[in-house]
Amino acid sequence: MSKGRMEAFSDGVIAILITIMVLELHSPHGSDLSTLKPLAPVFLSYVLSFVILGIYWNNHHHLLQAARAVNGRVLWANLHLLFWLSLFPFGTAWMGENHFDTVPTAAYGVVLLAAAAAYYLLQRTIVALDGPDSALAAALGRDLKGKISPVLYTVAIPAAFVNRWISVGLYVAVALLWFVPDRRLELRPQKA
Amino acid sequence: MSKGRMEAFSDGVIAILITIMVLELHSPHGSDLSTLKPLAPVFLSYVLSFVILGIYWNNHHHLLQAARAVNGRVLWANLHLLFWLSLFPFGTAWMGENHFDTVPTAAYGVVLLAAAAAYYLLQRTIVALDGPDSALAAALGRDLKGKISPVLYTVAIPAAFVNRWISVGLYVAVALLWFVPDRRLELRPQKA
Amino acid sequence: MSKGRMEAFSDGVIAILITIMVLELHSPHGSDLSTLKPLAPVFLSYVLSFVILGIYWNNHHHLLQAARAVNGRVLWANLHLLFWLSLFPFGTAWMGENHFDTVPTAAYGVVLLAAAAAYYLLQRTIVALDGPDSALAAALGRDLKGKISPVLYTVAIPAAFVNRWISVGLYVAVALLWFVPDRRLELRPQKA
Amino acid sequence: MSKGRMEAFSDGVIAILITIMVLELHSPHGSDLSTLKPLAPVFLSYVLSFVILGIYWNNHHHLLQAARAVNGRVLWANLHLLFWLSLFPFGTAWMGENHFDTVPTAAYGVVLLAAAAAYYLLQRTIVALDGPDSALAAALGRDLKGKISPVLYTVAIPAAFVNRWISVGLYVAVALLWFVPDRRLELRPQKA
């Protein structure tokens, strides 16, 4: 029951964040195909953020599926993650509207880094509750992807000041890394 | 559990998309009945999109009801569908605000086509997991409606450049085709 | 399962509608108490619509609780209700921003009437599925409130052209009539 | 079932309120770091409201978890709480955009006080239904925090007219007081 409600609340927040981001795609005033052109960077940043939020939802789903229980500490670690995810619409809009300009692109990386750290913290909190011998701890193993992602983001943020496309490339690379759902936590098809 | 959460997340996204579309119905500044008149095309495109999103929700509901299980692949196929559905508010607003002008009407068809293809893909992914001998595969059968819809959309998109009302007519026709919920997947009243 | 998802989707839509209405309460530009004054009619119309949507949610909850099952027909009757409810933010904003002017106040009544009719239809559809001997049919009985409300709305709409406060008074009266949750469907405290 | 749906609806509303507040963080027009500076008070008021809404969600979760049952009276007490919570985005935006000016800061306190009173009322309503000998009544005990918070808010509102930072300090103090989830209601890790 408790776990279910935390999942439902997180689903709600993530679903709303995804759809709020799409509000930045203001329908253009003209009805010409060319009026869509200025929307291209906004659209691309939306696609990137949609995929990243999709990854978070997916991994969150697998993580909670594997968790045995939650407590107040986990609820707050989860709210902490949701806080950083809630800054995605802002970060996405700022980067998209400024055509991936240097500072907004670096700022987007800061949001990504904070969210990745918050996810890591949530995972640690759940594992601590489940115990080091739990199926979850075993399934996560060394958690290479979880450790590499923040490192790549940490590189990407200053890299924007050299060339912002390095940063964007790194953001995309991390997304691709995670695109495959976390097979460690997905042992077999899950029944309803 | 797993299936339930994917359903809940999809419900959340679709519910928000429907209500975000209604935000385009800006309350007019005057309080005269005539001030409602310019809203007519926006309202009509809202009704059309509401019905189409309603159909998606309805069929999604029946599809998931019949599915035995989901896995990571299904989660992504579902997110892919939600991505295209998330462009409905944009497509609807652009078409409505421009009084069903040619390019926006064709663009709306592109969103419809992409969503239909994504739904087909989701269905295939679930059937592949359930197996060719599953009740779901049998219930879907040849899936005529699922195959005709993308064809009609593909016709409707270029048709907008001949006469946009042909396109709108085809969009409405596909909606009517699906309005009746998929009886193949609905064998008997479903208990809670 | 099926019933649960229809409830969840309706909850989502109603929750979003309620919170979307509050977006009309734009925070004023000044920081003086007097800057709140022009918001008064917007706030009052928000309170009225919040209560009415709360009543719908409450009754919907009790109705579905009592229903034995749902089918495709019920899903569409429910979507039809949600469509009219989705026009609440528009109707509320138009009436509030125009200080309960005649035409917007009458238009608000049209939305209320359509929603009441849609609720009645949903109820009929569920009772038809459950059967005339069902507990639900017995509990609803003659359904006086369900029959009086549309009548009062039908009176309130033209009455706005005589004196709009008659209409507002009738809207409030119907809300008070329903404020008490439908005891017919609530026989005892419901366990989780 | 009944309890579950009331939880789901509340989750939906709170999730939307949190994400609606973030819409006030308009992405600045420039792409300079300095363009973020005027957003600081808006951001800080967002953080405060996010934490407070997080506390409400958390406590609501624990309260409902412990409740044995709900009835129509509880549903309305819950809607009453959601009404006051729905004014958070307005209060937050007004306070943030006016850089914690006196009147908006006091007005924010009024919303906090009303929400705290509504929560207290909801709690009383549930305890009254569960009975004075219930586990919930025992767990709540004297409910010191629940009684101190409204007192502190009542002090904070007029204090804004002396020095608004006293008020803000008191709002933060109450949040810190509640930050620790209500251990009275959390006896052990809760399984799904």
Side-chain angles (χ1 to χ4, degrees), chain A residues 9-138:
Chain A
F9 184 70
S10 311
D11 284 0
V13 172
I14 299 176
I16 300 159
L17 290 173
I18 278 182
T19 36
I20 272 183
M21 288 193 310
V22 94
L23 285 177
E24 289 300 322
L25 273 178
H26 302 294
S27 74
H29 286 299
S31 63
D32 229 306
L33 201 58
S34 64
T35 59
L36 289 185
K37 220 182 142 194
L39 287 177
V42 180
F43 181 72
L44 289 177
S45 66
Y46 170 60
V47 173
L48 180 59
S49 291
F50 184 97
V51 170
I52 294 174
L53 278 177
I55 289 165
Y56 271 107
W57 180 76
N58 228 318
N59 288 335
H60 192 270
H61 174 106
H62 283 94
L63 179 65
L64 266 291
Q65 188 90 17
R68 271 201 295 242
V70 302
N71 61 4
R73 200 176 282 269
V74 173
L75 295 188
W76 274 110
N78 191 55
L79 277 166
H80 178 242
L81 170 63
L82 294 178
F83 175 77
W84 291 109
L85 295 184
S86 82
L87 297 183
F88 268 60
F90 176 81
T92 307
W94 202 32
M95 183 169 74
E97 280 164 21
N98 290 289
H99 299 71
F100 296 86
D101 212 343
T102 304
V103 177
T105 301
Y108 185 75
V110 173
V111 174
L112 291 181
L113 176 59
Y119 187 82
Y120 188 79
L121 198 68
L122 171 64
Q123 197 174 266
R124 284 291 95 199
T125 312
I126 291 176
V127 168
L129 184 67
D130 265 27
D133 307 323
S134 65
L136 176 60

Side-chain angles (χ1 to χ4, degrees), chain D residues 108-121:
Chain D
Y108 185 75
V110 172
V111 174
L112 291 181
L113 176 59
Y119 187 82
Y120 188 79
L121 198 68

Side-chain angles (χ1 to χ4, degrees), chain C residues 1-183:
Chain C
M1 173 59 59
S2 183
K3 215 174 75 170
R5 198 173 166 190
M6 183 178 126
E7 289 177 322
F9 184 70
S10 310
D11 283 358
V13 172
I14 297 175
I16 300 159
L17 290 174
I18 278 180
T19 36
I20 272 183
M21 286 191 313
V22 95
L23 285 177
E24 290 300 323
L25 273 178
H26 303 293
S27 74
H29 286 300
S31 62
D32 229 306
L33 201 59
S34 65
T35 60
L36 289 184
K37 219 182 141 196
L39 287 177
V42 180
F43 182 72
L44 289 177
S45 65
Y46 170 60
V47 173
L48 180 59
S49 291
F50 184 96
V51 171
I52 295 174
L53 279 177
I55 288 165
Y56 271 108
W57 180 77
N58 229 318
N59 288 335
H60 192 271
H61 175 105
H62 283 94
L63 179 65
L64 266 292
Q65 189 90 15
R68 271 202 294 243
V70 303
N71 61 3
R73 199 176 283 270
V74 174
L75 296 188
W76 275 109
N78 191 56
L79 277 165
H80 178 243
L81 170 63
L82 295 178
F83 175 78
W84 292 108
L85 296 183
S86 82
L87 298 183
F88 268 59
F90 175 82
T92 307
W94 202 32
M95 183 170 72
E97 281 164 21
N98 289 289
H99 299 69
F100 296 87
D101 213 344
T102 305
V103 177
T105 301
Y108 185 74
V110 172
V111 173
L112 291 181
L113 176 59
Y119 187 82
Y120 188 78
L121 197 69
L122 171 64
Q123 196 174 267
R124 283 292 95 199
T125 312
I126 291 176
V127 168
L129 184 67
D130 265 27
D133 308 323
S134 64
L136 176 59
L140 286 169
R142 286 185 307 151
D143 190 23
L144 260 183
K145 285 204 272 186
K147 280 169 185 151
I148 284 176
S149 308
V151 173
L152 292 180
Y153 289 142
T154 310
V155 171
I157 296 166
F161 295 92
V162 180
N163 185 328
R164 57 219 168 107
W165 299 112
I166 301 175
S167 314
V168 175
L170 284 168
Y171 303 156
V172 172
V174 175
L176 289 177
L177 198 68
W178 282 100
F179 189 73
V180 180
D182 211 321
R183 297 215 165 271

Side-chain angles (χ1 to χ4, degrees), chain B residues 56-69:
Chain B
Y56 271 107
W57 180 77
N58 228 318
N59 288 334
H60 192 270
H61 175 105
H62 283 93
L63 179 65
L64 266 291
Q65 188 91 16
R68 271 201 294 242

Side-chain angles (χ1 to χ4, degrees), chain A residues 1-3 5-6 9 13 16-17 20 69-72 75-76 79 83 86 90 94 97-98 101 103-104, chain D residues 11 15-16 19 22-23 25 27-32 35 39 46 50 55 57-58 60-61 179 186 190-192:
Chain A
M1 174 59 59
S2 182
K3 215 174 75 170
R5 198 172 166 192
M6 182 177 127
F9 184 70
V13 172
I16 300 159
L17 290 173
I20 272 183
V70 302
N71 61 4
L75 295 188
W76 274 110
L79 277 166
F83 175 77
S86 82
F90 176 81
W94 202 32
E97 280 164 21
N98 290 289
D101 212 343
V103 177
Chain D
D11 283 359
I16 300 159
T19 37
V22 94
L23 286 177
L25 273 177
S27 74
H29 286 299
S31 63
D32 229 306
T35 59
L39 287 177
Y46 170 61
F50 184 97
I55 288 165
W57 180 77
N58 229 318
H60 192 271
H61 175 105
F179 189 72
E186 186 194 6
Q190 288 138 352
K191 307 230 164 161

